[in-house]
Amino acid sequence: MKEQPIGIFDSGVGGLTVAHAIKQILPGESLVYFGDTAHLPYGDKSAESIKYYSRKITEFLLNHNSKVILVACNSASASAFDSLKLEYCDKVIMMDVINPVVNYLGTRNFRKIGVIGTKRTIMSGTYDEKLMEKSPQTEVISMATPLLVPMIEEGFIFDDISNAIIRTYLSNEIFSGIEALVLACTHYPIIKNQISKFFNFNVEVIDSARTVSLILREALEKNNLLNDSGKVIDRFFISDYTSYFEKIARMFFEGEINLMKADIWN
Ligand code: DGL
């Protein structure tokens, strides 16, 4: 059991931001990652489609012997996590990327925060509802920023195009006076510095990667599942080949990565 990998999935490169943080906090763990590049972006899909994809991917990760299934995608966490948890929590530890962030925000006393994410995540109202419960004193302003995922997946980072898109979204006056901005999409940490810079580093920019990794460590410790064998194998699967995925994966995981195409949809 201890040697089994952590199963992680996202629509594309976004979950790599979480996988990277896990590697820093839990270097002894093996990962099996699935990027559903054939269906990217999830943010424009219906909740039903995302549930269907998420269930199939969970089965795939379980077939690869995962001891944890981590839904490293906000759109899937908002649309599919509750049903996945219900179905699989007897077999495996189930984790998402929304609850840990909401719990963290509950420990802070922000007066006003912004939340940006995909259309699916923002329209689901999941953050607003959960934050209302955990930190009722906080005013929450949510906005869908659907151009950011295709922009990142196409490699527009730290250039004029990305600066213009980020500025156009974040200069909306609904965000005036926010103390923190939640990156409610696992792709967005890739442009976190640009976002912080837009706010002249005066707004706390919060993403899920580190918080989720710390909760994962706690869960593994509690269940006596920390891999102490010294054997680490990371595998990365995608449902459609994109050279950009490989480039970003290499950037996060330095050097050779074990990338395979898995055709789970036929
Ligand atoms: N990274 C994902 C999220 O956190 C999915 C983005 C997308 O595919 O639209 O929502």
Side-chain angles (χ1 to χ4, degrees):
M1 274 298 262
K2 289 181 173 188
E3 278 183 41
Q4 290 175 246
I6 315 279
I8 306 177
F9 75 89
D10 178 49
S11 60
V13 295
L16 293 174
T17 60
V18 183
H20 178 66
I22 291 173
K23 276 295 184 190
Q24 292 187 319
I25 288 165
L26 292 161
E29 296 298 325
S30 298
L31 306 181
V32 50
Y33 185 94
F34 190 90
D36 192 8
T37 41
H39 292 127
L40 182 93
Y42 273 12
D44 294 348
K45 305 288 186 300
S46 66
E48 286 64 38
S49 298
I50 296 176
K51 271 186 200 163
Y52 174 75
Y53 304 148
S54 301
R55 197 174 172 279
K56 273 276 228 204
I57 297 166
T58 299
E59 291 286 339
F60 174 85
L61 294 173
L62 287 176
N63 288 337
H64 281 78
N65 229 4
S66 302
K67 60 184 172 186
V68 175
I69 301 291
L70 169 56
V71 183
C73 169
N74 285 263
S75 310
S77 294
S79 312
F81 183 66
D82 288 347
S83 58
L84 288 178
K85 193 171 170 190
L86 210 60
E87 187 171 352
Y88 295 102
C89 69
D90 290 344
K91 294 193 184 113
V92 67
I93 298 173
M94 296 295 301
M95 287 184 58
D96 74 324
V97 287
I98 296 182
N99 286 307
V101 171
V102 169
N103 290 339
Y104 166 74
L105 289 167
T107 66
R108 308 289 306 269
N109 275 326
F110 292 121
R111 266 173 291 126
K112 181 174 175 183
I113 62 171
V115 178
I116 55 170
T118 65
K119 283 194 234 169
R120 170 64 28 226
T121 300
I122 298 302
M123 274 163 49
S124 74
T126 308
Y127 274 91
D128 304 70
E129 264 168 45
K130 288 183 187 273
L131 283 166
M132 181 90 83
E133 230 174 76
K134 283 276 172 198
S135 55
Q137 78 288 353
T138 307
E139 183 189 354
V140 181
I141 304 295
S142 309
M143 189 167 90
T145 48
L147 285 179
L148 296 183
V149 167
M151 177 192 98
I152 292 165
E153 288 278 341
E154 288 297 328
F156 292 109
I157 297 164
F158 270 112
D159 59 14
D160 293 349
I161 293 177
S162 55
N163 275 331
I165 295 174
I166 290 168
R167 193 177 55 245
T168 306
Y169 280 136
L170 298 182
S171 57
N172 192 313
E173 66 178 39
I174 57 171
F175 289 129
S176 75
I178 55 168
E179 293 165 322
L181 181 75
V182 178
L183 305 184
C185 173
T186 52
H187 278 69
Y188 299 176
I190 294 173
I191 50 166
K192 187 173 179 176
N193 285 343
Q194 257 175 298
I195 292 176
S196 298
K197 197 164 163 228
F198 170 82
F199 290 111
N200 289 322
F201 302 94
N202 289 325
V203 164
E204 187 173 333
V205 180
I206 295 167
D207 70 80
S208 60
R210 193 177 150 76
T211 309
V212 167
S213 306
L214 294 173
I215 303 284
L216 172 63
R217 183 170 67 189
E218 257 174 54
L220 293 178
E221 278 167 0
K222 198 172 119 206
N223 291 283
N224 196 22
L225 280 177
L226 280 172
N227 183 5
D228 48 16
S229 70
K231 263 191 250 156
V232 180
I233 302 167
D234 298 324
R235 279 169 302 165
F236 298 85
F237 294 92
I238 42 178
S239 49
D240 198 8
Y241 183 78
T242 68
S243 56
Y244 186 65
F245 186 97
E246 193 164 0
K247 189 174 149 205
I248 291 283
R250 284 192 204 290
M251 186 180 97
F252 277 123
F253 293 92
E254 286 159 20
E256 282 310 299
I257 63 149
N258 194 355
L259 181 64
M260 283 159 281
K261 187 174 170 217
D263 197 1
I264 69 171
W265 306 113
N266 292 318

